[in-house]
Amino acid sequence: MDAAAQQEATARARELQRNWYGEPLGALFRKLIDDLGLNQARLAAALGLSAPMLSQLMSGQRAKIGNPAVVQRVQLLQELAAQVADGSVSAAEATDRMDEIKKSQGGSVLSNTTQTTSSSGAPTVKRVVREIQSLLRSVAAAGDIIDAADTLAPTHPELAEFLRVYGAGRTADAVAHYQSHQS
C-alpha cells in the first residue's frame, strides 16, 4: 500500500473510531495514560490487549476493538480516571481497581452514561451527582458558571446555589446538597 492509500485508510479508521467510541482511540488511550499515570504497556495489560494491538488501535492501523470485554474495560478505566480526577479515588486505590478491571469480563459498548448502581438497581447518589457535575462542566468553565450564578443570585438564589455547588464545587459538597434536597 502506498503512503497516500495508507494515510487515507488511517483517516477512515480514525473516523470510524470517532463514530463508535466518541473519539479516535489514540486520543482516548492517551487521556487514560495521562490521567492514570500509565505507560502504553501498562494500559495494554490492564485492557487485556497486546502492546502491538494497542499501538495499532492508537495509530489508526486498526479501527475496531474486537473483544467486548476489552471495550468494557475501556469504559471502566474511563470511569476510574474520572474518579481519580475528582479526588474520590486515590492513586493507590486506582492501582488496585485497575487490577480488578483487568480481570473483568463482558460488556459490549462504550457509553457516555455509567452503569454504577446500588443493590436496588438505582444509580448511586454519588454517580448521579457526578453526572450532573460532568454535564454542567461540559457546557461551561467553572468561572463562567460562577459568573452565571452571581447573575442569578438576586432573583433566583436556589438556582444560583445549584450552579455553584454542582458546577464549581466539590463532589462531597454536591452529594450533601443533593441529599438535603431529597424528600
Side-chain angles (χ1 to χ4, degrees), residues 30-68:
R30 275 188 288 283
K31 283 183 204 167
L32 290 176
I33 288 167
D34 291 345
D35 292 348
L36 295 172
L38 303 173
N39 58 34
Q40 284 188 16
R42 285 199 58 213
L43 178 60
L47 292 173
L49 291 172
S50 69
M53 176 61 77
L54 179 73
S55 178
Q56 290 173 357
L57 288 165
M58 288 181 75
S59 68
Q61 293 173 338
R62 286 186 180 259
K64 189 173 186 180
I65 301 171
N67 183 335

Side-chain angles (χ1 to χ4, degrees), residues 3 43 84 128 152 165 177:
L43 178 60
V84 169
V128 170
L152 284 173
V165 170
H177 180 271

Side-chain angles (χ1 to χ4, degrees), residues 106-118:
S108 60
V109 296
L110 290 179
S111 67
N112 291 328
T113 59
T114 57
Q115 304 302 316
T116 303
T117 57
S118 67

Side-chain angles (χ1 to χ4, degrees), residues 32-180:
L32 290 176
I33 288 167
D34 291 345
D35 292 348
L36 295 172
L38 303 173
N39 58 34
Q40 284 188 16
R42 285 199 58 213
L43 178 60
L47 292 173
L49 291 172
S50 69
M53 176 61 77
L54 179 73
S55 178
Q56 290 173 357
L57 288 165
M58 288 181 75
S59 68
Q61 293 173 338
R62 286 186 180 259
K64 189 173 186 180
I65 301 171
N67 183 335
V70 173
V71 175
Q72 180 185 17
R73 289 184 202 117
V74 171
Q75 178 70 41
L76 292 170
L77 286 175
Q78 286 179 302
E79 292 172 15
L80 179 59
Q83 292 168 344
V84 169
D86 74 17
S88 64
V89 172
S90 71
E93 291 171 317
T95 300
D96 293 340
R97 296 271 288 284
M98 281 188 278
D99 289 338
E100 293 170 21
I101 289 169
K102 182 178 179 180
K103 297 172 190 169
S104 69
Q105 300 295 317
S108 60
V109 296
L110 290 179
S111 67
N112 291 328
T113 59
T114 57
Q115 304 302 316
T116 303
T117 57
S118 67
S119 58
S120 68
T124 62
V125 169
K126 198 172 218 179
R127 176 55 56 203
V128 170
V129 164
R130 283 197 192 121
E131 291 294 327
I132 294 167
Q133 288 176 315
S134 178
L135 179 60
L136 278 170
R137 293 169 185 180
S138 73
V139 173
D144 293 336
I145 292 171
I146 296 295
D147 288 347
D150 290 345
T151 301
L152 284 173
T155 55
H156 302 287
E158 295 86 5
L159 283 173
E161 177 187 19
F162 176 87
L163 287 175
R164 280 190 195 99
V165 170
Y166 292 89
R170 296 181 50 210
T171 299
D173 296 333
V175 166
H177 180 271
Y178 182 93
Q179 289 173 328
S180 72

